[in-house]
Amino acid sequence: MGLGKTLLAERLAARLDAAIVLDDGDNPFLADFYAGRAGAAFQAQLFYTLARHRQLLGLRQRDLFSQTTVCDYLFERDRIYAFLNLDDNELFIYQRLFDLVARDVPTPDLVVYLQTPTETLKRRLADRARQLADLEPAPLPVPGDAYLTELNEAYNHFFFHYTATPLLVVETSQVDLSWDEEAVGEVLRQIQSMGKGTQYYVPRTG
């Protein structure tokens, strides 16, 4: 979160003349989750997973995957949040459901992971929260420092062991998250040079 993945996806799709798939962040259970209401984490997790499954299944049925498609989320990453937020009984049920619906989801040809140090992530999210503070309705709160630390570590662990597709890891601590034409062009060049396995890209600075 907070690294401009949607903006990057939109600009990559424009450069590639590709279809674009954007995550729908609306979740009726999310406010209750942030408020700590019992059971809300499980409800929010199920809602997100089933909504994303329905979206990707609909694309497959319309055969849009016969053309280039850029998506701003990876379906499998839902499990990161499940392992962080659910208790053992909830996780047992969730994992069985996830394994069932994941069979329907197309496997991407390539995944891009925007990586950043935890302290940089915290600062960027705090800056964004200040910028959005006066909006109506009020934005959801920024997760606490401990949760952000645990979440970022979980993402790094997940992608360190990720082997399902070619993976491009982009280190973003020095990246201008406005994703201008030059930055998008560099990412696209990295994508086009990808082979199998994982490739790391640290953008030039200065």
Side-chain angles (χ1 to χ4, degrees):
M1 63 180 74
L3 298 181
K5 59 183 177 294
T6 297
L7 181 58
L8 176 59
E10 290 173 336
R11 294 190 170 169
L12 284 172
R15 291 281 290 269
L16 295 168
D17 193 24
I20 181 74
V21 179
L22 301 180
D23 196 12
D24 183 358
D26 290 337
N27 187 321
F29 304 104
L30 203 55
D32 286 339
F33 165 67
Y34 279 113
R37 188 177 66 78
F42 186 56
Q43 293 169 328
Q45 190 69 50
L46 286 180
F47 185 91
Y48 270 137
T49 298
L50 293 176
R52 290 162 182 156
H53 171 262
R54 182 171 61 251
Q55 184 182 44
L56 294 176
L57 185 61
L59 287 172
R60 190 173 205 177
Q61 290 172 341
R62 294 199 303 270
D63 200 30
L64 282 184
F65 278 88
S66 62
Q67 70 176 105
T68 302
T69 303
V70 178
C71 182
D72 75 339
Y73 65 89
L74 175 67
F75 186 75
E76 289 183 72
R77 67 95 190 261
D78 278 15
R79 292 188 297 173
I80 297 174
Y81 293 88
F83 278 95
L84 280 181
N85 299 328
L86 305 185
D87 65 31
D88 288 346
N89 291 330
E90 293 169 337
L91 187 59
F92 175 77
I93 297 171
Y94 175 81
Q95 188 62 52
R96 297 191 68 174
L97 174 68
F98 182 91
D99 290 343
L100 183 65
V101 300
R103 302 171 189 171
D104 302 326
V105 175
T107 300
D109 296 306
L110 179 142
V111 171
V112 178
Y113 171 41
L114 302 181
Q115 184 183 58
T116 199
T118 299
E119 292 307 312
T120 303
L121 175 63
K122 292 176 183 177
R123 185 178 68 252
R124 285 173 169 168
L125 288 175
D127 290 344
R128 187 173 71 170
R130 284 191 291 271
Q131 294 169 1
L132 300 177
D134 295 331
L135 292 182
E136 294 292 343
L140 290 168
V142 175
D145 283 359
Y147 182 81
L148 285 175
T149 298
E150 190 175 10
L151 179 62
N152 207 28
E153 289 175 352
Y155 261 92
N156 286 329
H157 180 268
F158 176 85
F159 281 107
F160 182 79
H161 295 280
Y162 182 83
T163 58
T165 71
L167 173 67
L168 175 63
V169 180
V170 181
E171 208 289 322
T172 67
S173 59
Q174 301 298 319
V175 172
D176 180 354
L177 298 183
S178 65
W179 293 109
D180 61 19
E181 286 298 309
E182 182 179 358
V184 172
E186 286 294 332
V187 171
L188 186 56
R189 279 188 281 276
Q190 295 293 321
I191 289 172
Q192 292 169 335
S193 70
M194 285 287 295
K196 296 180 179 180
T198 298
Q199 180 171 307
Y200 293 88
Y201 169 51
V202 180
R204 296 188 300 271
T205 59

